[in-house]
Amino acid sequence: MRPGIAFTSKKILQYAVILLGFGMNLTDILAKGRQSLPIIISTISTSLIVSFLLYKLLHMDAKVSTLIGVGSSICGGSAIAATAPVIEADDEEIAQSISVIFLFNVIAALVFPALGSMLHLSNEGFGLFAGTAVNDTSSVTATASAWDGIHGSNTLNAATIVKLTRTLAIIPITLALAIYRAGKKEEALEEHGAKFSLKQVFPMFVLFFILASVVTTVFSLPAAVTDPLKTLSKFFIVMAMAAIGLNTHIVKLVKTGGKPIFMGFCCWVAIAAVSLVIQSFIGIL
């Protein structure tokens, strides 16, 4: 079973990211998500800075720290799926990062609607809050739906658009990581007199993700075409997560989980706080 598990946890995960691009109509997302860009840029920067500082202070594993920082700042499991092959993370590192992200997704879906009510957020403000402060798309949907159920509003669409706008950050971040890794590998190979090839480290699946987004945008693909592809993407992610689970040592995961959970908590709190502060600053709350 090992070859099949390895193929599913690596290649199928990349195919899932490519298919994710068919849910990205760039024109619609950027037109509707423009208002949220200052908040998105601020929250992404905050999460990456917090994860980097804690990586240095707590002497954490670099790959786990990167995955938690990217997963917290962009779009949870999808961002981890896109980043893991670029930094060559193993299954246990992916599993640990996914577990941390999902833990705070669940807490956010349960806590944020009540927090929004306590802070007297407007429907528009909560849509931005849910879209920028909750990690995974499914959890954003759950959080916004809970708010709508309580307040009889319609924040779900706005929160989803903000979330999809955040997802576009997968492109520059994965490419930047690929260039950084390429530089490191080139130095290492040159020390041993070996030749370096950019193709060895460049994430070609990210280019196909961009191409899928461009095709969806240029040809305005209808929902009848894109919805099955998005469903297949989700199914591929489930397959990959199952394969990663089959390669994960659960006892080791639990024993080494303290620092990653603390990092995930710090990123989660920092993102939520920055989202609310920026909203207040630009007068949306």
Side-chain angles (χ1 to χ4, degrees):
M1 293 176 67
R2 288 290 170 192
I5 291 170
F7 177 83
T8 304
S9 66
K10 303 297 182 187
K11 290 295 182 182
I12 294 294
L13 194 59
Q14 295 179 22
Y15 299 153
V17 175
I18 294 169
L19 292 174
L20 191 68
F22 288 104
M24 303 282 175
N25 187 310
L26 304 179
T27 303
D28 291 345
I29 291 171
L30 292 176
K32 297 175 183 176
R34 191 177 300 147
Q35 182 189 30
S36 62
L37 281 177
I39 303 172
I40 290 170
I41 293 169
S42 300
T43 52
I44 289 174
S45 302
T46 298
S47 178
L48 295 176
I49 291 169
V50 168
S51 60
F52 178 75
L53 290 176
L54 289 176
Y55 154 69
K56 289 291 189 181
L57 290 171
L58 301 177
H59 307 289
M60 287 181 59
D61 178 84
K63 293 178 182 178
V64 171
S65 301
T66 301
L67 293 177
I68 291 173
V70 171
S72 297
S73 62
I74 303 175
C75 58
S78 300
I80 290 173
T83 306
V86 176
I87 64 173
E88 299 176 354
D90 63 33
D91 284 351
E92 287 194 352
E93 289 163 339
I94 298 170
Q96 193 165 61
S97 306
I98 288 281
S99 300
V100 169
I101 296 299
F102 283 179
L103 169 64
F104 293 106
N105 281 344
V106 172
I107 296 172
L110 295 173
V111 171
F112 278 6
L115 177 62
S117 296
M118 287 172 57
L119 296 173
H120 305 292
L121 296 183
S122 63
N123 291 327
E124 181 187 9
F126 189 81
L128 280 168
F129 180 54
T132 54
V134 183
N135 300 328
D136 205 71
T137 304
S138 58
S139 301
V140 170
T141 302
T143 306
S145 297
W147 175 270
D148 289 343
I150 295 169
H151 297 274
S153 57
N154 186 26
T155 64
L156 177 58
N157 188 49
T160 303
I161 290 169
V162 172
K163 181 66 188 63
L164 290 174
T165 308
R166 271 174 75 193
T167 303
L168 294 177
I170 284 177
I171 298 168
I173 286 180
T174 50
L175 292 178
L177 286 170
I179 292 168
Y180 175 77
R181 296 279 296 177
K184 290 289 186 183
K185 281 207 168 186
E186 186 173 15
E187 289 175 9
L189 288 171
E190 284 178 352
E191 286 179 5
H192 294 87
K195 290 185 178 181
F196 170 76
S197 171
L198 183 61
K199 190 176 179 181
Q200 293 175 340
V201 295
F202 196 79
M204 296 302 295
F205 71 95
V206 175
L207 291 184
F208 288 120
F209 167 80
I210 297 170
L211 180 61
S213 303
V214 171
V215 168
T216 302
T217 304
V218 171
F219 295 101
S220 298
L221 296 182
V225 174
T226 59
D227 285 352
L229 293 172
K230 288 190 286 184
T231 301
L232 183 60
S233 174
K234 292 176 184 176
F235 179 67
F236 278 177
I237 287 179
V238 172
M239 285 178 65
M241 291 304 107
I244 287 167
L246 290 169
N247 264 344
T248 303
H249 194 296
I250 191 66
V251 175
K252 184 179 177 182
L253 188 67
V254 172
K255 283 182 177 179
T256 59
K259 289 181 180 180
I261 289 172
F262 180 70
M263 174 180 283
F265 173 76
C266 291
C267 289
W268 181 63
V269 170
I271 288 171
V274 168
S275 176
L276 292 171
V277 167
I278 299 294
Q279 281 195 58
S280 178
F281 181 75
I282 62 180
I284 295 175
L285 290 181

